[in-house]
Amino acid sequence: MRVAIFIDGAFFIKRVRHFEPQHTYNAKRMADLAFSMAIAHLNPKKKAQSDELYRIFFYDCTPLEKKMHNPITKKAVDFGQSQEAIFRKKLHQEIIKKRKFALRLGKLSDTSVAWHIKPAVQQLLLKNKKAWHELDENDVAINVSQKGVDMRIGLDIASVTLKKQVDKIILISGDSDFVPASKLARREGMEFVLDPMWQKIPDDLFEHIDGLTSTYVRKVLSDNSPLTP
């Protein structure tokens, strides 16, 4: 059985950071974990139903590299030199080195880039536990949204389905936006399995999948521990 694995990069990174905050900016760790999680979905031990990996598709966005001024301090901030931008670019480099990995990049929406007060700080302001004049540069952050990533995932799922390139699809995500893609794949006779990395998924997504399994081991791993679940 030929298997294609699709990884929603933003979702994957968010979940790994939730479980392993000490590896927030560890690009090699993230890339190795993405590969080991994907391989763990295959069933090489069952000879009658042996799985063959077709390809692993990893979807993400190019990082924000604009220079903007912090609204509190008015200082210029070069986001191209931020930890997040450096991490993202290094992660993409690590991904393309992996065997049978295909990197698909979308872009950040230019119209959505704006400063906002962090949610935790907003709560302090609303509860009068913090005054407006007490805000500092760390109380605000840039709000950005991806452009074209979900569309690329949906199109690639439709493409491998209609071309009959695989027999089974694994999607590592938790987004109900992929319901149309999963419905198409199943109508065409494809087995569609979702890996939400232990996150609860919407009912409308659960309705349109053939299986639900998470291969990530939910524990904080030491730097020297094996990545394979």
Side-chain angles (χ1 to χ4, degrees):
M1 181 178 288
R2 285 170 66 79
V3 182
I5 300 171
F6 297 82
I7 303 176
D8 180 349
F11 174 84
F12 168 80
I13 292 168
K14 182 179 179 181
R15 294 299 288 166
V16 174
R17 285 174 171 175
H18 171 74
F19 292 117
E20 301 182 30
Q22 76 276 26
H23 293 133
T24 292
Y25 298 112
N26 191 333
K28 188 177 187 307
R29 181 71 168 190
M30 294 275 188
D32 288 347
L33 190 53
F35 183 76
S36 66
M37 281 178 54
I39 295 301
H41 276 286
L42 306 180
N43 298 312
K45 295 180 180 179
K46 297 180 180 180
K47 294 183 179 180
Q49 299 178 348
S50 180
D51 287 341
E52 177 189 351
L53 178 63
Y54 169 67
R55 192 162 291 132
I56 303 169
F57 298 88
F58 190 94
Y59 300 82
D60 199 19
C61 267
T62 52
L64 179 66
E65 298 189 83
K66 281 187 173 184
K67 291 183 179 180
M68 300 178 70
H69 289 83
N70 186 289
I72 304 298
T73 63
K74 309 304 180 185
K75 292 180 182 177
V77 181
D78 184 357
F79 286 98
Q81 300 302 315
S82 67
Q83 277 187 297
E84 187 64 28
I86 293 171
F87 158 74
R88 228 55 177 225
K89 287 184 283 189
K90 189 173 180 181
L91 174 62
H92 299 161
Q93 291 171 357
E94 292 288 339
I95 288 292
I96 61 178
K97 294 177 186 176
K98 297 288 185 186
R99 184 174 179 272
K100 292 215 171 186
F101 252 96
L103 178 64
R104 299 280 195 267
L105 292 178
K107 295 181 179 180
L108 295 178
S109 175
D110 291 335
T111 58
S112 70
V113 178
W115 291 94
H116 72 284
I117 299 173
K118 295 178 179 178
V121 179
Q122 291 180 32
Q123 291 300 314
L124 293 176
L125 290 170
L126 290 171
K127 294 176 181 178
N128 292 321
K129 293 183 178 181
K130 191 179 187 76
W132 285 94
H133 68 271
E134 294 176 326
L135 293 176
D136 60 37
E137 60 183 331
N138 297 315
D139 290 331
V140 294
I142 281 290
N143 183 32
V144 294
S145 63
Q146 295 182 340
K147 183 179 180 181
V149 174
D150 289 357
M151 178 184 70
R152 282 175 170 79
I153 297 176
L155 287 174
D156 283 348
I157 289 176
S159 177
V160 299
T161 296
L162 297 175
K163 291 179 181 178
K164 306 296 182 183
Q165 293 173 315
V166 298
D167 307 294
K168 181 179 180 180
I169 287 174
I170 308 290
L171 174 63
I172 299 178
S173 183
D175 197 334
S176 57
D177 288 345
F178 301 121
V179 166
S182 66
K183 288 174 68 175
L184 170 66
R186 295 178 77 217
R187 280 200 304 267
E188 294 296 321
M190 197 76 59
E191 184 178 349
F192 196 99
V193 176
L194 181 71
D195 181 343
M197 296 180 69
W198 305 105
Q199 177 174 286
K200 185 179 179 181
I201 65 169
D203 290 339
D204 60 343
L205 184 53
F206 195 95
E207 181 184 354
H208 299 292
I209 59 176
D210 295 304
L212 183 71
T213 183
S214 293
T215 59
Y216 177 80
V217 177
R218 287 185 293 179
K219 63 180 180 180
V220 177
L221 304 172
S222 66
D223 289 337
N224 297 321
S225 62
L227 285 169
T228 304

